[in-house]
Amino acid sequence: MSAGTNFADLHNLHLALHEVQEQLNRGPRQVRAREQLVAQAEAALQEKRELLKSQRVSSDRKSLDLKTNESKIADLKGKLNTASSNREFDTIKGQIEADTVANSVLQDEILESLDAIDRVQTEIKEAERNLAKTQEELKRFSDQFAADSVVLKARVEELSVQIKQSESGLEGELAERYHRLVDAHGAEAMAPCEGGICGNCRVQVTPQNRVRLNAGKVIICTACGRMLYKPPE
């Protein structure tokens, strides 16, 4: 198939268009990825806040239990003086000792819960910083992509016009085959053939097709079906 069109230039235009379109397509995916990071950071922060809330409730409940037990012990100590028998005295004394041990355990648990609360508060501050950082990165990237997309869309229009102009030299069967391949494979519809090797599938072309390439013809790779052209020296 003869070609008045410079297929190397046409292929380069398609490759450039493909790259610009990929940049436009990557942008929204990258925005969504950053939105997911923000959502994860928000969820992590909320989880820490809920944990802090439950720990404070638990700590407050234990503090209340401690005060209740202390009041109970004070009341029992008062009853020691009015015990009517040794048996009653020993019973009250045993209860005081049991409640005192229980209070000691509660005091240890309260201290541990206060330490846990301090740790979670520190983790919350870190989670807040992480959230702010991911939100800032999302905004920075979104703003940058919004600005870049204007330039990229203009570049798409420019390359599309150049491709149309370059395609205008194609006629007949060559034009029909070219458009069919471009519709199917985009920028990969064409490939250079250097040293008799297809640039797409790396299969060697026949000697006859190599002669045709050297004569400036465009051939179809029998292995992968791409349009092959001889690249400029």
Side-chain angles (χ1 to χ4, degrees):
M1 290 181 283
S2 299
T5 296
N6 186 319
F7 264 76
D9 290 344
L10 180 56
H11 189 202
N12 286 333
L13 288 171
H14 273 287
L15 291 172
L17 178 61
H18 175 74
E19 175 56 30
V20 174
Q21 289 172 329
E22 278 296 299
Q23 291 180 49
L24 281 170
N25 292 335
R26 281 196 301 267
R29 292 197 298 268
Q30 291 173 320
V31 168
R32 287 194 295 273
R34 285 164 172 79
E35 288 173 340
Q36 289 177 351
L37 290 176
V38 169
Q40 290 170 2
E42 289 174 337
L45 176 58
Q46 183 60 29
E47 182 180 351
K48 294 295 182 184
R49 286 173 172 168
E50 290 296 329
L51 177 58
L52 177 63
K53 181 179 178 180
S54 66
Q55 287 180 334
R56 281 175 169 166
V57 169
S58 176
S59 180
D60 290 344
R61 184 175 62 251
K62 288 176 181 179
S63 295
L64 180 60
D65 290 343
L66 179 63
K67 290 179 180 179
T68 300
N69 281 357
E70 287 174 344
S71 296
K72 181 180 177 183
I73 290 171
D75 183 57
L76 288 171
K77 285 180 178 179
K79 290 180 179 180
L80 280 177
N81 299 323
T82 60
S84 58
S85 66
N86 289 335
R87 182 178 179 182
E88 183 182 0
F89 182 89
D90 291 339
T91 299
I92 295 172
K93 186 177 180 181
Q95 185 62 53
I96 290 173
E97 291 173 351
D99 288 341
T100 300
V101 171
N103 270 10
S104 179
V105 172
L106 274 174
Q107 287 171 343
D108 289 341
E109 290 178 351
I110 290 170
L111 289 175
E112 289 175 359
S113 66
L114 291 175
D115 287 341
I117 287 172
D118 287 342
R119 287 195 299 272
V120 173
Q121 287 176 327
T122 299
E123 292 170 358
I124 285 175
K125 291 178 181 178
E126 179 61 29
E128 288 172 340
R129 287 192 293 269
N130 183 57
L131 174 58
K133 181 179 178 181
T134 54
Q135 288 174 329
E136 181 182 346
E137 172 59 19
L138 170 61
K139 184 179 186 307
R140 182 201 66 77
F141 185 86
S142 298
D143 291 346
Q144 184 62 54
F145 177 69
D148 291 345
S149 63
V150 175
V151 177
L152 291 171
K153 288 176 182 178
R155 181 61 175 158
V156 167
E157 293 295 325
E158 178 186 354
L159 288 168
S160 298
V161 169
Q162 292 177 4
I163 288 172
K164 288 292 184 183
Q165 291 173 344
S166 186
E167 290 173 342
S168 64
L170 301 176
E171 297 177 347
E173 181 185 351
L174 177 60
E176 182 181 342
R177 179 71 68 89
Y178 161 82
H179 285 295
R180 186 165 63 248
L181 287 173
V182 168
D183 288 343
H185 305 292
E188 295 182 354
M190 296 161 280
C193 185
E194 297 185 82
I197 302 296
C198 171
N200 181 68
C201 67
R202 311 307 299 170
V203 170
Q204 190 168 18
V205 301
T206 64
Q208 181 182 4
N209 276 337
R210 190 166 182 176
V211 170
R212 294 172 65 196
L213 280 168
N214 289 335
K217 306 289 186 180
V218 175
I219 67 169
I220 302 298
C221 178
T222 56
C224 66
R226 301 305 197 268
M227 301 187 82
L228 302 183
Y229 60 87
K230 182 180 180 181
E233 299 293 338

